[in-house]
Amino acid sequence: MNTKRIRIQIAGRVQGVGFRPTVYRQAVALGLSGFVRNTPLGVVIEAEGDAQAVDRFVAQLQAAPPRQAQIEAFRISDMSACGLHAPFEIK
């Protein structure tokens, strides 16, 4: 398996609109490890898993955020994979 890990920082109207549960459902459906959490600047996501699944995850987030969300910034950073096999979680 070709493993990939990324960090996504999303700013805008992303809190209180069901964003974290949406991210969670998408990540779990794709078998990813990692987390999603709110920060003072928006939402931070770290996701790790099969590279194709991670790419699909990013595409899904960009194409189908919650209806009430308004994404102003979507920044993706590559990270070193650390072999996580823990379930994805909302922090």
Side-chain angles (χ1 to χ4, degrees):
M1 174 169 77
N2 184 14
T3 303
K4 182 175 183 177
R5 182 175 183 85
I6 60 169
R7 171 178 276 202
I8 305 170
Q9 295 174 295
I10 304 171
R13 186 171 170 210
V14 292
Q15 295 183 15
V17 296
F19 206 90
R20 290 179 305 152
T22 297
V23 168
Y24 174 83
R25 283 189 299 274
Q26 291 176 353
V28 168
L30 291 166
L32 301 178
S33 295
F35 64 86
V36 57
R37 73 170 171 227
N38 285 336
T39 72
L41 301 176
V43 171
V44 171
I45 304 163
E46 287 190 16
E48 180 173 333
D50 178 74
Q52 290 180 341
V54 171
D55 292 342
R56 280 194 303 271
F57 176 67
V58 170
Q60 288 175 357
L61 286 177
Q62 291 175 319
R67 288 187 306 184
Q68 296 179 342
Q70 295 176 343
I71 296 174
E72 296 173 5
F74 194 101
R75 292 181 204 91
I76 302 171
S77 306
D78 289 325
M79 301 178 70
S80 296
C82 51
L84 286 181
H85 296 290
F88 197 89
E89 63 182 335
I90 296 175
K91 290 189 172 183

